[in-house]
Amino acid sequence: MMGHINNLVVEMVRDALGDDAVADLFAKAELESRIYQPEVVYPESEFQALFRGAQSVFGVGSDDAEEAFAAYFMKRSPEMFPAIFEQAGSARGLIERIPTIHRNFPASASQDAYRDKVAIIESTPERIVLEYDSPNQLCNTLRRVARICLDYFGEEGAVHETCCKKEGAEHCRVVIEFHGQKAGV
Ligand code: HEM
């Protein structure tokens, strides 16, 4: 996982609970306290330890942690990357850009370590279908972020998962439907 996401987990804890909770987070994750290089790919095990640490610090399970993280991700992302949101212009515009945004994020030195986890397997005026395959099993986050994308751009639609790796499927599959006037834009 790229350091950008690890940093967001740390910042989410700091914003909600303060610096002492961040020290606690790293202790619970059994990691050295640090700031990550945003564009460097770190071991997935490090992200997983951090995310489990965050659950422990907040005293919540993985579903609640993913919901909170999705909300934090979609609060911070427009603040950090306003041009991406402006150019995207719509939920479809942003969701269609996910593979490109992710692929362009790692520094050149980390390109070899990067692999795609979110792929677009269908895009029609009515819907986009995403396939998600990751050892981090963040499909709840994916669904929730997609839902917040619709809300962010003031659009109507629906998000659902049609199969899930946690339930034995080969990949997770998330469908984003576009309803109302902006469908197909
Ligand atoms: C400004 C927009 C965005 C930025 C800057 C961004 C950036 C990133 C980065 C750097 C990663 C780490 C990738 C890796 O190391 O493999 C990531 C992961 C992820 N992103 Fe995005 N992203 C954006 C938009 C989105 C949107 C709109 C969605 C979903 C609708 C999304 C879903 C995810 C998911 C689910 C992961 C976790 C992948 C894993 O399992 O490791 N992202 N994002």
Side-chain angles (χ1 to χ4, degrees), residues 1-6 8 38-42 44 47 66 69 73-74 76-78 80-82 84-85 91 94-99 101-103 105-106 113-118 130 132-149 174 176:
M1 182 74 93
M2 272 176 267
H4 169 61
I5 302 292
N6 291 2
L8 282 182
E39 294 140 3
V40 167
V41 175
Y42 293 90
E44 303 296 1
F47 168 79
E66 284 196 71
F69 185 62
F73 180 86
M74 282 300 285
R76 295 295 289 119
S77 295
M80 296 177 87
F81 308 105
I84 293 180
F85 281 77
L94 185 58
I95 289 163
E96 281 184 335
R97 282 170 171 78
I98 296 171
I101 294 168
H102 287 177
R103 220 170 282 145
F105 211 90
Y114 172 78
R115 73 167 187 84
D116 279 327
K117 296 167 188 159
V118 183
L130 299 176
Y132 172 65
D133 186 9
S134 164
N136 300 321
Q137 301 202 317
L138 294 172
C139 54
N140 284 341
T141 308
L142 177 52
R143 277 195 279 121
R144 193 74 200 130
V145 171
R147 176 68 252 172
I148 301 171
C149 279
V174 173
I176 301 117

Side-chain angles (χ1 to χ4, degrees), residues 147-169:
R147 176 68 252 172
I148 301 171
C149 279
L150 288 164
D151 298 340
Y152 177 89
F153 289 101
E155 295 176 42
E156 290 164 42
V159 179
H160 52 274
E161 191 168 3
T162 55
C163 59
C164 180
K165 200 167 174 172
K166 288 185 225 167
E167 286 159 16

Side-chain angles (χ1 to χ4, degrees), residues 48-96:
Q48 290 160 16
L50 264 185
F51 207 69
R52 276 196 306 272
Q55 285 170 44
S56 170
V57 167
F58 282 117
V60 299
S62 61
D63 286 354
D64 287 342
E66 284 196 71
E67 186 153 335
F69 185 62
Y72 190 74
F73 180 86
M74 282 300 285
K75 174 180 173 285
R76 295 295 289 119
S77 295
E79 294 167 359
M80 296 177 87
F81 308 105
I84 293 180
F85 281 77
E86 208 173 298
Q87 282 160 19
S90 65
R92 164 184 293 282
L94 185 58
I95 289 163
E96 281 184 335

Side-chain angles (χ1 to χ4, degrees), residues 10-51:
V10 175
E11 290 312 310
M12 173 175 71
V13 169
R14 194 187 314 279
D15 280 4
L17 303 171
D19 289 338
D20 288 350
V22 170
D24 195 22
L25 164 68
F26 280 107
K28 287 195 157 90
E30 297 183 9
L31 296 168
E32 288 282 317
S33 183
R34 63 183 299 181
I35 296 169
Y36 294 91
Q37 298 291 323
E39 294 140 3
V40 167
V41 175
Y42 293 90
E44 303 296 1
S45 56
E46 185 141 356
F47 168 79
Q48 290 160 16
L50 264 185
F51 207 69

